[in-house]
Amino acid sequence: MEAKPEAIPLLTPYKMAGSSFSLAHRVGYKDTPGVWTAEQVEAWRPVVDAVHAKGAVIFCQLWHVGRVSSYEFQPGGAAPVSSTETMVGPQVSHDGTVEEFSPPRRLTVEEIPAIVDDFRKAARNAVQAGFDGVEIHGGNGYLIEQFLKDSANNRDDDYGGSLENQCRFALEVVDAVAKEVGGHRVGIRLSPFMDYMDCHDSDPHALGLHLATKLNDHGILYLHMIEPRMALVDGRRVVPKRLLPYREAFKGTFIANGGYDREEGDKAIASEYANLVSFGRLFLANPDLPKRLELNAPLNKYNRMTFYISDPVVSYTDYPFLS
């Protein structure tokens, strides 16, 4: 009798609890697209329809860049808004160019509810466009994380000065979005250990654990969290796997991200360290990544120099499929 092929943990089916989403596998400034106008909603429909035609699920990631912006991208040339008036320092891009940002304006307490409502409206628009759900971007140095982390949040009002206050804005956004489209359509991405866009925290573990616990009050579908930086072990980059406390605290689907390959992803799923593993760079460079992982086929190498260029084809749709 022919032996059954060994199961690949990353490619085993997974159903998100409390939702209708059954996944066939576990591999899911300028030029930034929007979802705040009727025209944008209509423009997204053919994209969403094309994904659904392939039998796949698509979520829209919602984010507000906050101080990671400049006057030229703001209405009337106004200052970008943030939790703080402290500006982001110059950032060196992959191609060596230096990007500079304008000094931000600190949001008043009275202005914050309108920003929360912007997230709610964007979530409604995304679902109207046909997206299966939304992912609130609470990481990578953008507005929500500017409130979450004490390096960027120097407030002494209801939105700063304590861990609970620093998390207030993020949880208000989650609450508003979940009430608008249903918690079963909502996920959030967090990066407590990252230092990106001058956003870091003095106690990332306490921050991550507090959020993972509080998110349970809102009945959202998933928590998508980024690992700390990878370590070198015997000359090989290894995922540090320090997210277990947050996976145990959060009662929904837990998605781990950050430097995973096939081997590390299989280990994470087989050990129940995470429910799902997400891939960014590898999926960008390999549009048929699940098939390549199934066959253990060679992967296309990604080109960092073209990650964020304006060209609509180069780097986004030009990587080859398996022949």
Side-chain angles (χ1 to χ4, degrees):
M1 179 182 296
E2 185 177 349
K4 292 180 64 176
E6 183 179 349
I8 302 172
L10 269 176
L11 301 180
T12 54
Y14 177 76
K15 178 170 173 52
M16 293 188 179
S19 80
S20 59
F21 303 128
S22 294
L23 307 184
H25 51 72
R26 308 183 186 226
V27 192
Y29 334 165
K30 69 173 184 175
D31 303 327
T32 303
V35 68
W36 63 82
T37 69
E39 292 79 10
Q40 289 167 339
V41 170
E42 289 303 313
W44 277 114
R45 292 189 194 277
V47 177
V48 174
D49 290 346
V51 172
H52 287 159
K54 295 288 188 179
V57 172
I58 180 170
F59 273 48
C60 180
Q61 189 182 72
L62 306 179
W63 46 306
H64 187 310
V65 297
R67 66 179 183 170
V68 186
S69 186
S70 58
Y71 299 138
E72 64 181 305
F73 295 115
Q74 299 301 313
V81 297
S82 180
S83 61
T84 179
E85 69 288 333
T86 304
M87 66 186 294
V88 181
Q91 304 290 312
V92 180
S93 301
H94 295 303
D95 61 2
T97 60
V98 178
E99 190 170 11
E100 297 188 356
F101 306 97
S102 302
R105 178 178 65 81
R106 180 197 297 254
L107 284 163
T108 67
V109 170
E110 292 74 23
E111 290 177 303
I112 291 174
I115 305 294
V116 172
D117 201 53
D118 285 342
F119 278 92
R120 179 192 66 81
K121 292 173 182 175
R124 178 195 63 200
N125 289 347
V127 171
Q128 288 179 352
F131 284 95
D132 297 292
V134 297
E135 178 177 276
I136 298 165
H137 196 345
N140 294 84
Y142 300 121
L143 183 62
I144 290 178
E145 192 168 78
Q146 290 160 30
F147 276 87
L148 289 175
K149 293 188 173 180
D150 54 22
S151 70
N153 187 336
N154 55 2
R155 307 173 73 99
D156 58 4
D157 54 24
D158 288 347
Y159 291 89
S162 69
L163 180 58
E164 182 176 6
N165 285 352
Q166 288 167 214
C167 295
R168 188 182 307 278
F169 174 61
L171 294 174
E172 286 179 349
V173 170
V174 170
D175 185 62
V177 169
K179 286 177 178 175
E180 179 66 33
V181 301
H184 64 291
R185 293 181 181 271
V186 179
I188 187 170
R189 176 177 169 94
L190 299 173
S191 57
F193 291 96
M194 287 189 69
D195 179 358
Y196 190 68
M197 295 294 179
D198 297 346
C199 240
H200 53 88
D201 195 77
S202 60
D203 192 346
H205 170 66
L207 175 62
L209 192 60
H210 181 78
L211 284 167
T213 303
K214 289 294 185 181
L215 287 170
N216 292 319
D217 297 339
H218 302 278
I220 65 171
L221 182 60
Y222 70 79
L223 170 56
H224 182 192
M225 192 172 281
I226 304 174
E227 294 273 4
R229 291 294 182 189
M230 291 181 292
L232 279 176
V233 178
D234 296 329
R236 183 179 181 277
R237 297 169 75 187
V238 176
V239 178
K241 293 198 175 75
R242 289 171 54 190
L243 304 183
L244 188 59
Y246 323 114
R247 189 260 200 271
E248 292 175 339
F250 182 67
K251 304 309 178 186
T253 294
F254 189 86
I255 306 176
N257 172 263
Y260 281 91
D261 56 15
R262 184 181 189 269
E263 180 181 348
E264 292 289 335
D266 274 344
K267 290 177 183 177
I269 299 302
S271 66
E272 299 185 350
Y273 172 78
N275 300 116
L276 299 169
V277 171
S278 68
F279 295 86
R281 291 164 290 185
L282 292 186
F283 228 137
L284 178 64
N286 297 273
D288 51 0
L289 183 62
K291 175 59 69 174
R292 290 176 187 258
L293 295 181
E294 179 183 357
L295 300 176
N296 203 17
L299 302 181
N300 297 324
K301 295 186 183 302
Y302 54 79
N303 181 2
R304 284 183 179 274
M305 301 294 285
T306 60
F307 276 175
Y308 301 107
I309 62 174
S310 301
D311 192 293
V313 175
V314 175
S315 183
Y316 292 97
T317 62
D318 64 340
Y319 284 101
F321 288 77
L322 284 171
S323 58

